[in-house]
Each structure stands twice: as C-alpha cells, then as structure tokens.
Amino acid sequence: MKRNLFISLFMLTSVVMSAQTLDRMQWFNEPENWTIEDNVLMMDVTPQSDYWRISHYGFTVDDAPFLYTLRGGEFEVKVKISGDYKVRFDQAGLMLRIDAENYIKTGIEYVDGKYNLSAVVTHKTSDWSVIQLDKPVDYIWIKAVRRLDAVEIFYSFDDEEYVMMRNCWLQDNTPVMVGMMAACPDGNGFKARFEHFQIKHLPDARRLEWLENNQE
C-alpha cells in the first residue's frame, strides 16, 4: 500500500501541465513575418515550403517554418491551431523531429477544397495519412503523446474529447525537437495561428517499473 501511494504521489508531482514560453523557443527556417503576443504565435507561412522525403513525389524538402523546444524522454504536447488556408497542401500543426530523416508532422491540411486531419511520418522516406472532415472548422486541437518508442496522435474539436488518429514509431531515449510548424508547398503563403501550446512531462515508464519493483 505504501509503495503504491509513493508511486502515485511521484507521478502526480511529475506531470504538471505548464505553458511553454514561446519567446524562449527556437526557430528552424524562421519565417519572414511572425509575432508572439500573450503566448500566441502568429506567422505568415513561407511560400513554397514543406517537409517531405523522397517517396511518391521523388524529391526532398526541409524548409518550412518550425518553432521548437528540445525535449528528452517522454511527454505530452498539445496546441490549438487555426489558419487562413487557401490552396492545396496548406497545413499547420505539431512537429516532433529528431533530424532531417526522422520526424513526425501532424495537424490540419487543406487538400482539394477539403479540410483534412493529416499525419506525415518520416524515417528515411515519408508516408502520409489523412482523415477528411465533413466540413471546414475554425480551429482544431492536436495532441501527441510520446511513450517509449511510440507516439500516439490525437485530435479534438473542444480540448475535452480526444480521438486517436495514429500510432507511430519514433526512436526512444533520443532528444526530440517539438513544436509548431506550418507549410505552404503550392501557394504564396497564408496566416497560421497557434494558441495554448503546452508540454507535460511524463515520468519514464521503465523507471517507474523499476521503482515499483525496487522499493525499500
């Protein structure tokens, strides 16, 4: 009983949700125009920019704006996203990135006049999965949970009920750049908005198992 109580208290004190201060994050491919006010990021998305590697299209691009912080271990991250999407493949969302050959980008993507929930998972080459929405939405919440060697991706329309849209592999025990990205592969740019960006530290699952089995 005491052991279980100790572990519960340890977990409660380790999973405090807090807003990441955006002005202390770093840019990869900084866009020409952007602002941060009241911890809300607004950006003019760089025209003709994207993240993709090789498969299907035969080219590699790695030049879209990405505001990130570096995180090790396990965590939960979420953000509220909205944008003035205009042309095919306009997109905005979260990115988890180890390097140019290993990353996940996920969010909302405008394709053929429809709003889609989108996920691109890249390990040497990229894949792409979408869930088409019935109608346009003013905003969407995207959440990603990194546990061990997997990332679960969820979406929500109200930040209360979340639905899982994908589970994918990502190398564990490796630092990850995590943050907000947007891309405009075909167009001349658009305005994207990110609100309530939050990261919650999750205690390492293997350590919790060790702790449970090695109490005094």
Side-chain angles (χ1 to χ4, degrees):
M1 178 65 73
K2 288 183 178 179
R3 182 176 63 187
N4 291 336
L5 178 60
F6 175 83
I7 292 172
S8 297
L9 290 173
F10 177 83
M11 293 182 68
L12 284 172
T13 57
S14 299
V15 295
V16 177
M17 180 73 81
S18 61
Q20 169 73 41
T21 304
L22 301 187
D23 57 11
R24 300 192 66 170
M25 296 171 69
Q26 302 178 65
W27 278 109
F28 181 68
N29 301 318
E30 181 178 352
E32 185 173 345
N33 296 305
W34 59 274
T35 61
I36 293 174
E37 295 183 8
D38 298 325
N39 225 34
V40 174
L41 170 64
M42 296 280 293
M43 73 166 83
D44 292 338
V45 183
T46 306
Q48 302 287 305
S49 66
D50 199 7
Y51 292 98
W52 187 264
R53 282 189 61 82
I54 305 169
S55 60
H56 186 71
Y57 301 106
F59 56 75
T60 295
V61 285
D62 200 54
D63 59 2
F66 173 40
L67 185 68
Y68 73 92
T69 184
L70 191 63
R71 291 280 168 151
E74 302 178 9
F75 56 82
E76 174 185 310
V77 58
K78 66 178 181 178
V79 69
K80 181 182 178 183
I81 306 158
S82 55
D84 181 22
Y85 316 107
K86 295 178 180 179
V87 300
R88 183 179 61 168
F89 303 140
D90 280 357
Q91 61 196 262
L94 290 173
M95 175 176 271
L96 284 69
R97 176 185 173 99
I98 295 175
D99 55 32
E101 295 186 344
N102 297 276
Y103 59 81
I104 299 165
K105 62 172 183 172
T106 180
I108 193 142
E109 187 162 358
Y110 187 69
V111 184
D112 298 329
K114 300 288 186 180
Y115 285 63
N116 296 264
L117 300 167
S118 170
V120 169
V121 178
T122 299
H123 301 300
K124 303 294 186 182
T125 59
S126 297
D127 70 31
W128 182 34
S129 59
V130 296
I131 301 172
Q132 189 177 105
L133 299 179
D134 294 333
K135 59 184 179 181
V137 292
D138 292 331
Y139 53 83
I140 191 80
W141 288 84
I142 296 291
K143 178 170 71 176
V145 181
R146 184 193 193 195
R147 275 294 196 188
L148 301 176
D149 64 350
V151 173
E152 291 180 317
I153 302 170
F154 302 82
Y155 69 91
S156 175
F157 300 111
D158 57 11
D159 191 31
E160 294 183 4
E161 180 181 357
Y162 279 86
V163 179
M164 189 171 78
M165 56 186 281
R166 184 141 185 194
N167 181 308
C168 51
W169 180 83
L170 188 68
Q171 180 64 54
D172 60 346
N173 294 317
T174 304
V176 174
M177 294 179 284
V178 55
M180 296 151 284
M181 61 74 57
C184 181
D186 282 9
N188 295 318
F190 67 97
K191 293 187 180 297
R193 179 184 179 95
F194 301 86
E195 303 172 76
H196 307 297
F197 180 77
Q198 295 178 314
I199 297 180
K200 177 170 64 178
H201 168 72
L202 302 176
D204 184 270
R206 294 186 183 97
R207 171 166 168 73
L208 287 180
E209 182 179 359
W210 181 92
L211 189 63
E212 184 173 4
N213 294 328
N214 290 274
Q215 290 299 311
E216 293 183 352

